[in-house]
Amino acid sequence: MLTAGQAGALEAVATSGRRVDVLVGPAGAGKTTAMRALLAAWTARHGTSSVIGLAPSAAAAAVLAGDLGIGCDNTAKWLFEHARGRATFRAGQLVIVDEATLASTRTLDCITALAQAAGAKVVLVGDWAQLQSVDAGGAFDLLVHARGDDVPELGEVHRFTHDWEKRASLGLRRGEVDVIGTYAAHDRLPEGTTAQMIDAAYEAWRTDLAAGRSSILVTDSAESVRRLNERARAERIQTGETSPRRDVALDDDARASAGDLVITRRNNRILRTGRTGWGRNGDRWKIVDVRRDGSIQVRRAGRRLGASVVLPADYVAEHVDLGYAVTAHRAQGLTVDTSHVVVAGSTTRENRYVAMTRGRDANIAYVALDKPDDSHATPQPADVTAQTVLYGVLKHSGIELSAHQTISAEHDRWAGIAQLAAEYDLIAASVERDRWRELVANALTGVGRMSAAEAESAITSDGFGALVAELRRADANHHDLRVLVSQVVADRSLIDAEDITAVLSHRVAKAAAKPNGTHVPDLIAGLVPEVRGPVPDDVRTALDERRDSIEARARGLAQTAVRERAAWVLRIGEPPLDGVARQRWLHDLTVIAAYRNRYSITSRDPLGPSGTSLAQRRDADFAASALRSARAVSGVSTPRSTGPLGAAIALG
């Protein structure tokens, strides 16, 4: 039976009048059920053979054929046959392209152009949050975002046993960091070294298999896949599941014998398994016999009779691997009872989402803490936890953008508050450099506290930039900096300090945390300290341009979020009706919007998780103050929590 959501999405596709439609479905949303219903409806109207099924890979096409009960092929093969006059579209046909995100833009362009010329309709089925084409891609994602709300989507998730995991999987799909706390609260995030996590994932996987559950073991590292495959084979030999006798060399120096599970890595239609089956890239097999010439007889995994074929020795040596551990690309499209996933800092959001949505009953991420990745934000080693690694993973998207989207993304990045604030701070630091050096040097050498050489060493240290940032904040809070710096230097001796600038930064931040007297802080968009001292006219012009751009950007983001009723705005409360109160409320939202944009916060929680840098934690204080003010104006109380992740759980 179709749900109301599935029926509505299919009706939108069938009656849109478009030549090209997209049908979006998160993992476990029932795309197979929906496509079967669409097939039945279209066939009833347009007759038999009026639906054609295509997919980017032969394995996916085979799955689609099994799901729909019609002949399906991979896109490359269909285009090959069309070029030779052996395949074509006709008017009234429906062309279903499953796993469309894995198809290249050129492929989709060719298929849709041919369909339009013939009077056929194409529906691209997939999920922009899952894995992308290895060739130039991005067409599916471009169509989805260009059409906005006018995109049929299967929004209900049905795969998972637990209701909380249905909701959490959608948060994982959107890259919402709040969801990390949800998985942690349900003991789905064990952590440790890479070796420990590989062992833990393997043992859990073996336990599930022994208990009769279907289970997969997923890792993105080729080295981890190799180690896990070798370990699984060795243990199967000990248990008698794999023969210790004649073996054969596979790709990557691996070996296999009768009883081993293997994966074929290259399409070969000559290798027939019955009337319609053949050897596909990604197919899983069990070795029945190893022959003296290096060829092997294999049978499809899960089959006891039939579906067997002999793989030639040269094919075995180059295109066959052990098939116990898999990558996320091999896992996409599978549904099992449990999924055990080894996650490192280099994992992308899409890989993790796919791997963590394969299991009906449980999906567990074994998080390696000893392999941070420099391509996205990584906390200091002492602060690394499963939560911080996964925070970086959710910020590390591997989605390929179309050319149009790339232009828009680059424009947003260079016009974003993070970039504008960085430019403002750099200009400010350059023009006021001598001021800060003189101020700190005079305080450090005053009354014989420190020699000039010692003061110069502190000023040229790596931590001086952080001290300048705190001094700028104190200046924006209208403190007399000469008095303030002298006081914090004289507060306690600095003789034993390993990092003088770090100590002074802490003291300045504590002493100048609040504005001096009744002054209102001079902060751009509530975050960036404004340069108050005299500067050359050309520098002042450059600073003012960036100040105006930051404030305009923040106001625009806040207004858009209110207009579109963004999830984080709804958690703050409804806008007041009173004009004065409403302006105050919008001002507070502007500060929060600026903070979210500056630090790429996508969470439904207004402030997201705690920052990994001192600068972000300082800005978070300003944003938190604005959040309390906005909620007070809306009449909403702020929930108590033990920290950002606790707050996310409480609010979720």
Side-chain angles (χ1 to χ4, degrees):
M1 295 293 292
L2 293 177
T3 66
Q6 288 173 323
L10 295 183
E11 182 182 359
V13 170
T15 63
S16 71
R18 289 191 175 113
R19 287 297 182 190
V20 179
D21 257 310
V22 290
L23 177 61
V24 178
K31 290 191 290 291
T32 299
T33 301
M35 285 190 291
R36 283 175 184 159
L38 182 60
L39 168 69
W42 198 271
T43 301
R45 178 66 179 271
H46 295 277
T48 57
S49 302
S50 62
V51 177
I52 294 177
L54 298 175
S57 69
V63 172
L64 182 63
D67 291 340
L68 298 184
I70 62 174
C72 300
D73 218 331
N74 67 313
T75 52
K77 174 64 173 175
W78 191 93
L79 290 171
F80 176 86
E81 296 295 331
H82 172 78
R84 286 152 183 79
R86 297 193 291 261
T88 188
F89 299 134
R90 59 178 172 78
Q93 281 187 321
L94 175 68
V95 183
I96 298 177
V97 182
D98 195 20
E99 302 286 3
T101 58
L102 293 173
S104 70
T105 297
R106 182 183 294 276
T107 296
L108 294 181
D109 182 53
C110 289
I111 289 173
T112 54
L114 291 170
Q116 183 176 13
K121 177 185 178 70
V122 178
V123 56
L124 307 177
V125 182
D127 183 12
W128 51 265
Q130 297 192 45
L131 300 174
Q132 308 292 301
S133 169
V134 295
D135 297 319
F140 186 90
D141 186 56
L142 173 66
L143 282 174
V144 170
H145 287 86
R147 294 182 179 178
D149 295 334
D150 193 22
V151 172
E153 182 165 355
L154 306 173
E156 303 172 62
V157 177
H158 306 283
R159 173 176 296 165
F160 307 108
T161 302
H162 305 287
D163 287 338
W164 71 264
E165 195 159 12
K166 296 177 182 180
R167 297 188 297 272
S169 71
L170 294 176
L172 202 63
R173 176 174 179 259
R174 292 187 292 264
E176 296 177 354
V177 295
D178 305 5
V179 78
I180 298 173
T182 304
Y183 280 94
H186 289 88
D187 298 323
R188 297 292 182 86
L189 303 180
E191 61 181 43
T193 65
T194 299
Q196 290 171 339
M197 292 300 94
I198 289 176
D199 286 345
Y202 178 85
E203 292 296 341
W205 170 73
R206 285 286 289 174
T207 299
D208 283 345
L209 292 180
R213 294 178 174 179
S214 60
S215 184
I216 57 171
L217 184 58
V218 187
T219 175
D220 284 336
S221 165
E223 175 61 21
S224 295
V225 169
R226 186 185 64 80
R227 288 171 56 187
L228 288 166
N229 279 330
E230 289 178 352
R231 178 174 176 178
R233 169 173 155 75
E235 290 194 8
R236 287 173 64 91
I237 290 175
Q238 291 178 345
T239 60
E241 297 167 275
T242 292
S243 171
R245 298 181 180 178
R246 183 185 299 137
D247 59 18
V248 64
L250 307 179
D251 187 29
D252 197 23
D253 297 327
R255 305 196 71 81
S257 52
D260 269 322
L261 296 179
V262 294
I263 296 179
T264 47
R265 299 297 195 190
R266 187 180 182 87
N267 292 333
N268 190 325
R269 293 174 186 262
I270 297 176
L271 303 175
R272 309 295 299 184
T273 58
R275 185 176 301 174
T276 59
W278 49 276
R280 297 176 176 86
N281 178 18
D283 281 354
R284 294 170 63 112
W285 312 80
K286 185 174 183 178
I287 298 179
V288 177
D289 183 38
V290 175
R291 302 186 174 182
R292 293 184 182 279
D293 63 354
S295 64
I296 58 175
Q297 182 182 358
V298 295
R299 179 177 290 117
R300 290 198 183 279
R303 297 283 295 272
R304 294 190 176 185
L305 298 172
S308 66
V309 66
V310 175
L311 304 181
D314 56 347
Y315 183 91
V316 171
E318 295 182 29
H319 307 303
V320 176
D321 291 335
L322 288 171
Y324 301 106
V326 297
T327 63
H329 278 82
R330 298 295 176 190
Q332 182 161 316
L334 297 178
T335 300
V336 292
D337 293 329
T338 62
S339 178
H340 301 278
V341 188
V342 180
V343 177
S346 57
T347 303
T348 65
R349 180 203 302 175
E350 293 74 30
N351 279 21
R352 189 196 170 205
Y353 171 61
V354 168
M356 288 291 287
T357 51
R358 301 302 97 197
R360 303 180 190 90
D361 300 330
N363 298 275
I364 304 174
Y366 300 80
V367 185
L369 307 182
D370 56 342
K371 288 191 175 181
D373 183 68
D374 293 335
S375 64
H376 55 82
T378 303
Q380 294 300 314
D383 298 327
V384 173
T385 65
Q387 283 89 339
T388 59
V389 171
L390 294 177
Y391 175 82
V393 168
L394 290 184
K395 295 296 182 184
H396 186 196
S397 174
I399 290 179
E400 182 175 4
L401 302 179
S402 66
H404 179 77
Q405 288 175 305
T406 300
I407 293 171
S408 298
E410 285 297 295
H411 177 271
D412 288 343
R413 184 168 73 87
W414 288 100
I417 291 175
Q419 177 66 31
L420 294 169
E423 293 176 7
Y424 190 97
D425 288 340
L426 178 61
I427 296 171
S430 300
V431 75
E432 294 189 306
R433 176 181 176 84
D434 292 340
R435 176 191 178 193
W436 304 125
R437 288 175 60 88
E438 179 186 358
L439 181 70
V440 175
N442 289 341
L444 290 176
T445 58
V447 199
R449 294 188 182 100
M450 191 176 293
S451 69
E454 291 171 326
E456 182 64 20
S457 177
I459 291 172
T460 57
S461 69
D462 293 338
F464 187 69
L467 174 57
V468 168
E470 294 300 339
L471 291 173
R472 290 189 58 224
R473 291 182 186 276
D475 195 29
N477 276 339
H478 296 268
H479 287 272
D480 186 327
L481 294 189
R482 292 190 179 277
V483 174
L484 178 68
V485 174
S486 295
Q487 288 176 343
V488 298
V489 168
D491 186 28
R492 286 188 303 276
S493 174
L494 295 169
I495 295 177
D496 297 330
E498 293 184 7
D499 187 338
I500 293 174
T501 53
V503 173
L504 292 180
S505 294
H506 175 74
R507 293 181 185 179
V508 171
K510 185 177 180 180
K514 296 182 180 180
N516 186 22
T518 59
H519 292 285
V520 176
D522 290 329
L523 297 172
I524 302 169
L527 299 179
V528 183
E530 189 166 5
V531 175
R532 298 172 60 236
V535 296
D537 291 343
D538 58 338
V539 174
R540 175 57 66 187
T541 298
L543 290 171
D544 289 348
E545 288 175 350
R546 285 156 180 79
R547 177 201 62 200
D548 295 344
S549 296
I550 291 171
E551 292 181 340
R553 175 77 166 171
R555 284 194 302 271
L557 290 169
Q559 291 166 358
T560 299
V562 172
R563 183 174 61 254
E564 297 179 352
R565 297 184 64 79
W568 66 269
V569 174
L570 296 179
R571 293 189 172 200
I572 295 175
E574 294 292 334
L577 298 178
D578 176 73
V580 175
R582 183 181 179 86
Q583 288 303 313
R584 177 184 168 191
W585 187 81
L586 287 173
H587 176 269
D588 292 331
L589 255 66
T590 298
V591 177
I592 299 170
Y595 174 77
R596 290 174 63 87
N597 186 258
R598 186 175 191 179
Y599 297 104
S600 301
I601 305 296
T602 58
S603 166
R604 290 177 295 173
D605 178 62
L607 304 186
S610 58
T612 57
S613 67
L614 178 61
Q616 184 175 349
R617 290 196 290 270
R618 293 282 187 267
D619 283 353
D621 291 339
F622 294 125
S625 177
L627 176 60
R628 288 191 295 270
S629 174
R631 281 182 168 152
V633 174
S634 293
V636 177
S637 60
T638 300
R640 293 183 179 181
S641 69
T642 57
L645 287 175
I649 294 171
L651 290 168

